[in-house]
Each structure stands twice: as structure tokens, then as C-alpha cells.
Amino acid sequence: MPVIAVVGAQWGDEGKGKIVDLLAEKAHIVMRFSGGNNAGHTVINSYGEFKMHLIPAGVFHKGVTCVIGNGVVIDPAALLEEVEELRKRNVEVDKLFISDRAHLIMPYHFILDGLEEESRGSSAIGTTRRGIGPAYMDKVGRIGIRTGDLLDKGTFLERLRLVLDQKNRIITRVYNAKPLVLEEIYDKYCRYGELLAPFIRETDLMVEKALKNEEKVLLEGAQGTMLDIDFGTYPYVTSTTTMAGGACSGLGLSPLKIDGIAGVFKAYTTRVGGGPMPTELLDEIGELIREHAHERGATTGRPRRCGWFDAVVGSFSARVNGFSSFILTRLDILSILPAIKICTAYQIGGKKLSSPPSSVVELAKCEPIYEELPGWQTDIGDIRRFEDLPIEARTYVKRLEELLNCPVSVISVGERREQTIIVQELL
Ligand code: IMO
Ligand code: MG
């Protein structure tokens, strides 16, 4: 039975939420493996519209187990709020489990994220200010606190005292800000621990069991490959492995067990936050796409930067992840345009590049080389078969298949679950 990873292939917000919600119908178990509540996965289905930040988008299917793996950082308040919101809207959350090894976002992470961003001035990363970076820093720095730690109050207090003392010194002496009070955090997090206890599990054992029982497993990525800590546009990235490989370390899953990796691409490009984006459109076309597609961050509400499809980024992303297929979302948005461009290479100082340079300074200097394809300018929202798409839309998709060097498996032609063309079944 297949284990399929669904990962973001651009700068996030590719529509992973809709895709996971759709594919989860056939899954037994859906697992999030990285990121935190910096993610904002929009899902529209019979229950209504939801912005998922931590809980896998498989939660809408009764009987599907949802796991938040050890690779995720958890803000307990955000998670409990999400659980509450789902329950209020009649979605059952009785099969949600979180790893005892997942690190917690603590109040000082939140504060430090803001203070660090402000200190960067004009080089700010444009983080979501959810404390993600500082939480992962502590994980790697071996001073993190994990969900499992909340289950033993004595050990938790001891660890918190040690860490908070260090954090308060940074907050007060480096940033001249107010120190945090140990007892307040301790009481608050003990309460979270009680509320989260029913969800906390050794989720690596659930992975093992699912594989043994030959269940259909869906691995849900967050963010996108260009935000990956190693292969993204460093330092304008998030603090995790957003790529398919992150599913292994983020869940306790052997790389040998992944049967397919589907990269999710939007039919154009968007980015929120700072950092270079070679195909960004600062003109009326960019504005048109932004307005027509309501391109605003699901987490922060910031307007997203919009541009043409970047196949230099795309083929790089396909290569470093090893996509077995790609999923194309929001193809319907391009229906408004008379002509559509694809960036097939970069030009820099007389040189032509087919792969993005590792340096953002270099990337910022890259000029996109475009090829132009005709648009179709007709509504495609009701089309359910690839062969029924206008010839121009099929040509666009076929060209992307060539450039990405892998086949398309799913095409989204609208925001609702059923507005989808399945070219190749994934699960
Ligand atoms: P989904 O899962 C788009 C961006 C932020 C910022 C950078 C670092 O919805 O695709 P962080 O708060 O992670 O330290 O911010 O990463 N970012 C995202 N952009 N979609 C996301 O998630 C993102 N998560 C983080 O805007 O540029
Ligand atoms: Mg998003």
C-alpha cells in the first residue's frame, strides 16, 4: 500500500491544504512532518472554509487518523484553538495524535521572533512571528522543551527554570525588553499539558503499525522547497526541512518506505515575506493575479507577491526532492490572461543559468528569460477530464511536464474539493 508525500514545491501557499483534504479521502492516516503554525492551509469542503495551521487537512474524513509528527513545532495555544474551532463546526477530532518528541513553542520564542526581526531592520526575513525560528534554534541547541516533558511536571519545572534564566538574560540584556515570569509560564504550560495529554503518543509506533498493516499513508508537508533551510533562498527561509526528506526525520519513517513524492506547484508563483523572487511581477499583471486570486497570507493576512511560473525553481525543486509527479493548482486563475509566460532560464552578467544560484545576492541579480504561451481565456472550473481542457491549457501543462521532467498527476481548477482533474491516481 502506498506511502505518498505531498510537498510544497515553490515558496509555500501552493494549495497543499486542498490537495491533502482531497487525497485523504482514500487514506488511512495523514501525517504532518515539519513546520508549525506558520503554515496556513486553506481547505474548503462540505463543513465550510478552514485555515489549518497545525492539524493535518485529513481531519475532515471520519476514520482517518491524523498525526502531528516529531518534526513539527507546536504552539499549544494555537493547537488547542484549532481543535476547539473544528469541534465547534462539527468536525470530529477524536483521531488526532501528536508526537511526544515534538518541540513546543514557548512564550520566549514568540517574543524573540519579534525582537530578532526588528533588530534585522531592512534585512528582516519577514517571518510569521509565530516563534518558529527560535523554537527550532532551541531544538538544535538542545535546550528545547517537548510535548512529552509536560507530562512530568517536576522535570518540566526544572528544565524551564534553566532555559528561562538564559532566555531572560538575552531578552533583558541584548534587547532591553521585559523578563518573563517563571511561575506564569509554568502554570500556563502545565494546564496545556493536561489538555494535550490525551493526544500525546509515541507516534513513531503509529507509523510502524500503519506500515505493518499496509495502510494508505499520506505525508503532509508545510511551507515549500524554496523556504527549505538547506535548499531554499537562505537566509530568507523557514527553519526546517520542508522537502520530502523531512518526512523521514520528522516522523521516524524509513526513506525506503516512501513510494511517491508529489510536488505541489501553483500555476504561477507567489511568495510572502522577504527575499528574492526572480519572476515577481511588480506591474498591473501581478496586481491582477493578486486581486483575482485573493492572494493574501492565510496566517498573517499579508498580500502575497505574485509572478510567472519559474521553471528554473521548478526543475530544481523537482530534482532535490525527486518528485515522482507534480500537482498543479489554481490553473483556473490563469484563465483571465491573454498570454502566459514561463521562466525557463536566468540571465546573469552574460551567463545563462538553468539552476538557481545558492547565493541570494546572485539570485537577486538574475533576470528571468521567458517563453510566452497563448492563454485560453475561458472558464475551466467545471472541467473534470484533462482532455476536455482547452488546447492552450493542455499545452501549458504539457510544457511544464517537459520543464519539470515529471508527469502531472492532479490539476486543480477551483477552490472546492470537487474542482479537480485527476490525471493519475496517487493513493
Ligand atoms: P504554508 O504551509 C508561505 C515564510 C514567511 C517568511 C519565512 C520565514 O501555508 O505553505 P517563519 O515564520 O517560518 O520563520 O518565516 O517563511 N513562510 C511561509 N510562506 N507559506 C507558508 O506556509 C509559510 N511558512 C513560512 O513568510 O518569509
Ligand atoms: Mg499557506
Side-chain angles (χ1 to χ4, degrees):
M1 284 291 185
V3 177
I4 302 293
V6 172
V7 299
Q10 294 157 318
W11 276 281
D13 303 325
E14 299 92 349
K16 299 176 288 293
K18 170 186 162 160
I19 298 302
V20 171
D21 174 54
L22 173 85
L23 297 178
E25 196 181 351
K26 292 197 178 157
H28 295 101
I29 183 162
V30 183
M31 307 188 185
R32 247 298 282 280
F33 60 83
S34 69
N37 60 323
N38 48 348
H41 299 169
T42 304
V43 174
I44 300 172
N45 56 31
S46 56
Y47 291 98
E49 178 170 343
F50 296 83
K51 307 273 181 214
M52 311 299 290
H53 300 289
L54 280 164
I55 298 176
V59 71
F60 300 97
H61 299 277
K62 283 200 180 70
V64 172
T65 302
C66 288
V67 168
I68 299 178
N70 55 278
V72 177
V73 284
I74 297 178
D75 177 339
L79 177 59
L80 290 165
E81 203 176 293
E82 213 169 308
V83 168
E84 196 51 39
E85 170 75 10
L86 286 167
R87 285 190 173 144
K88 239 188 348 210
R89 295 172 69 186
N90 304 317
V91 183
E92 283 175 28
V93 197
D94 53 343
K95 295 194 84 177
L96 171 71
F97 300 100
I98 63 180
S99 167
D100 55 350
R101 295 170 192 263
H103 281 248
L104 291 166
I105 297 186
M106 304 297 292
Y108 40 84
H109 293 141
F110 206 75
I111 290 169
L112 286 166
D113 198 356
L115 292 170
E116 285 168 10
E117 272 291 85
E118 261 138 48
S119 76
R120 288 183 193 113
S122 62
S123 331
I125 294 167
T127 74
T128 57
R129 300 195 179 213
R130 299 292 189 270
I132 307 293
Y136 280 114
M137 280 162 70
D138 282 1
K139 173 179 178 174
V140 179
R142 297 168 294 188
I143 52 163
I145 297 176
R146 312 198 289 185
T147 58
D149 296 333
L150 297 179
L151 304 178
D152 174 354
K153 290 184 181 172
T155 315
F156 171 50
L157 180 62
E158 217 172 284
R159 194 148 175 82
L160 180 63
R161 181 174 285 126
L162 189 90
V163 180
L164 189 64
D165 182 52
Q166 190 200 89
K167 296 295 169 189
N168 271 341
R169 271 184 281 152
I170 298 172
I171 290 170
T172 54
R173 297 191 200 170
V174 177
Y175 295 108
N176 282 321
K178 258 180 46 192
L180 298 174
V181 180
L182 176 73
E183 292 70 25
E184 281 176 19
I185 302 179
Y186 175 72
D187 289 346
K188 204 171 180 184
Y189 275 66
C190 282
R191 178 80 191 118
Y192 291 149
E194 285 158 16
L195 295 168
L196 290 180
F199 298 103
I200 300 175
R201 287 284 190 289
E202 291 173 79
T203 52
D204 48 303
L205 296 176
M206 299 177 73
V207 174
E208 187 200 11
K209 192 166 149 234
L211 294 175
K212 207 158 135 201
N213 294 343
E214 304 203 329
E215 293 183 354
K216 293 184 179 181
V217 181
L218 197 57
L219 310 173
E220 179 179 347
Q223 288 77 51
T225 301
M226 298 315 284
L227 291 171
D228 181 86
I229 186 75
D230 285 281
F231 286 97
T233 46
Y234 194 90
Y236 299 94
V237 291
T238 190
S239 300
T240 28
T241 301
T242 61
M243 302 193 325
C248 298
S249 55
L251 290 165
L253 172 73
S254 162
L256 291 173
K257 300 293 182 194
I258 300 183
D259 300 295
I261 303 169
V264 187
F265 287 93
K266 217 178 257 188
Y268 45 95
T269 306
T270 64
R271 174 165 208 176
V272 253
M277 174 180 158
T279 62
E280 181 169 15
L281 289 166
L282 297 166
D283 59 6
E284 63 282 5
I285 301 179
E287 192 53 41
L288 184 69
I289 295 175
R290 182 162 39 252
E291 286 313 309
H292 182 59
H294 310 291
E295 288 290 359
R296 271 169 204 286
T299 299
T300 56
R302 290 176 290 178
R304 294 181 185 139
R305 300 154 68 188
C306 297
W308 296 119
F309 191 95
D310 186 338
V312 178
V313 157
S315 58
F316 169 77
S317 187
R319 172 165 63 80
V320 292
N321 282 285
F323 293 150
S324 46
S325 75
F326 74 95
I327 295 171
L328 192 65
T329 64
R330 310 213 79 178
L331 186 62
D332 51 300
I333 298 300
L334 298 183
S335 300
I336 53 166
L337 301 168
I340 299 160
K341 289 184 185 174
I342 303 175
C343 166
T344 55
Y346 297 151
Q347 179 89 34
I348 179 168
K351 263 199 320 200
K352 207 170 147 181
L353 297 184
S354 57
S355 186
S358 61
S359 146
V360 280
V361 178
E362 293 290 298
L363 185 63
K365 291 183 200 151
C366 286
E367 287 294 328
I369 300 174
Y370 287 118
E371 77 184 30
E372 190 174 294
L373 277 73
W376 44 94
Q377 295 194 285
T378 145
D379 185 7
I380 58 170
D382 290 328
I383 294 176
R384 299 290 176 267
R385 295 187 325 169
F386 184 74
E387 50 277 27
D388 295 338
L389 282 172
I391 178 71
E392 296 85 356
R394 276 181 281 149
T395 306
Y396 184 68
V397 177
K398 287 277 163 209
R399 183 69 182 123
L400 294 185
E401 284 188 322
E402 274 171 19
L403 292 164
L404 302 177
N405 199 25
C406 67
V408 71
S409 47
V410 178
I411 302 170
S412 172
V413 291
E415 58 191 9
R416 283 179 290 117
R417 199 191 265 172
E418 63 276 14
Q419 289 183 293
T420 311
I421 298 172
I422 306 284
V423 183
Q424 177 201 321
E425 292 285 352
L426 288 173
L427 264 186

